Amino acid sequence: MARHIAVLANPFAGKGRGRAAAETALQRLRERGAEVRVYAGDTPADTKALAREAIAARPVAIVVVGGDGTLSGILSDLVAAELPVALVPAGTGNDLARALDLPRHDPAAAADLALDGTARRIDVGEIRTPTGVAGFLTIAALGFDAKVSERTNRLRWPHGALRYYLALLIELVRLRPLPFAVAVDGGEVRVRPGTLIAVGNTPSYGGGMPVCAGADATDGMLDLVEVAPIGRLRLLRLFPLLLRGTHLARREVAHRRARTVTVSAPGLVVYADGERLGEDACTISVHPSALTILTPPGALTSGDGDRG
């Protein structure tokens, strides 16, 4: 059997951008003489089943066209298969691509990495909740930011970024600190009220918001960021600092590195890679060097690339 490249596409990623990105990537790979087999799923369940089918055919590499959520949805299969992955970013945030300095606006250049990219091992996060276990690659959000994501998903109007900003305003009005019970690396459980907790494998979420500035997907560690209880106006003032990644120096923000973090709170909602993964309680851990990603030669792996 000839060696081939599998292309797994989510045509609905990025509000439909996935379809055009997949077509461009396929054209580039075929122009370069690659034998390509295409797998396109309409739902997350389809994508997971097709990923297993693609892996079973033993390609030399698998190209995933989609967003962070598309990739995280098939993480367990990719990690088990130990296949190199080329990501063609086509989501709304593309924060993993940002952290690894992958081409985010050029699907053809991203597809090229399947043929001549540099293989790098990156860490994979894991979240255990009462309802199951899921992998993630960027940031687990707990608290205010997760509630904004939850509200955004519930709203049917308006569309685009305006829906996020409306959700932000609604949750600002409803802002209340959560009584987080937190244990780090198996230590003592400490109950401390807070506005949000972010546990990062990479620096940013939401399309470049570096809440875990400095997080490195190759260091075998997670970055834990906690924001103390603050009022609405102080939270609004914190956002410009967060956008620049300079918020970690603020007295209301605590930052440390860890290998496992356990968090629980009444009303807790857990999001990671833009997906809702559970509620009430979770344990977040890291699997070092678990996934092979194909990156440009000399690419950054610490998330210090541009945030645009």
Side-chain angles (χ1 to χ4, degrees):
M1 183 180 296
R3 290 158 67 83
H4 68 281
I5 292 172
V7 175
L8 181 67
N10 176 3
F12 302 104
K15 296 179 172 53
R17 286 192 295 273
R19 191 179 305 278
E23 290 173 356
T24 300
L26 286 169
Q27 181 179 345
R28 173 59 65 91
L29 290 170
R30 286 167 174 156
E31 285 173 352
R32 295 192 58 183
E35 179 194 336
V36 181
R37 300 182 192 177
V38 184
Y39 306 81
D42 294 337
T43 67
D46 288 344
T47 300
K48 192 166 184 64
L50 289 170
R52 290 174 175 171
E53 181 181 334
I55 289 167
R58 302 307 302 171
V60 295
I62 185 164
V63 177
V64 178
V65 184
D68 296 332
T70 302
L71 186 54
S72 64
I74 56 173
L75 257 182
S76 59
D77 296 300
L78 294 174
V79 168
E82 297 187 340
L83 279 174
V85 176
L87 176 63
V88 177
T92 54
N94 299 321
D95 287 286
L96 180 66
R98 180 177 282 99
L100 301 181
D101 206 26
L102 305 179
R104 287 183 283 122
H105 309 294
D106 188 344
D112 281 335
L113 298 177
L115 300 172
D116 47 31
T118 298
R120 287 190 168 88
R121 304 284 291 185
I122 67 168
D123 306 334
V124 170
E126 179 185 273
I127 300 177
R128 291 183 174 270
T129 70
T131 56
V133 181
F136 73 99
L137 290 162
T138 60
I139 292 176
L142 307 93
F144 176 77
D145 46 356
K147 288 182 179 292
V148 172
S149 295
E150 184 98 321
R151 180 70 59 178
T152 302
N153 291 339
R154 288 177 182 171
L155 293 173
R156 293 294 173 260
W157 180 92
H159 299 291
L162 288 177
R163 184 168 61 174
Y164 174 82
Y165 292 127
L166 177 58
L168 179 64
L169 289 173
I170 292 171
E171 290 304 322
L172 271 175
V173 171
R174 298 166 58 89
L175 180 65
R176 299 288 187 278
L178 282 175
F180 292 116
V182 182
V184 178
D185 290 336
E188 178 185 354
V189 176
R190 297 178 181 272
V191 178
R192 42 187 182 250
T195 299
L196 66 84
I197 291 176
V199 183
N201 184 45
T202 60
S204 72
Y205 58 12
M209 193 177 295
V211 65
C212 294
D216 184 344
T218 65
D219 66 359
M221 302 288 287
L222 298 166
D223 280 51
L224 169 62
V225 174
E226 301 176 75
V227 178
I230 55 177
R232 298 178 184 90
L233 289 178
R234 276 179 78 186
L235 183 57
L236 284 173
R237 293 191 190 106
L238 187 65
F239 266 91
L241 302 179
L242 198 157
L243 290 169
R244 296 195 296 270
T246 58
H247 58 293
L248 299 182
R250 300 286 297 183
R251 67 179 183 275
E252 62 264 51
V253 180
H255 173 225
R256 64 181 294 184
R257 290 186 168 88
R259 287 186 172 84
T260 63
V261 180
T262 298
V263 183
S264 63
L268 180 74
V269 180
V270 183
Y271 269 76
D273 293 344
E275 305 295 324
R276 192 186 200 277
L277 298 181
E279 56 190 38
D280 297 329
C282 66
T283 294
I284 304 170
S285 56
V286 63
H287 296 283
S289 303
L291 182 69
T292 300
I293 292 282
L294 296 165
T295 65
L300 302 170
T301 57
S302 60
D304 295 324
D306 75 278
R307 297 181 182 128

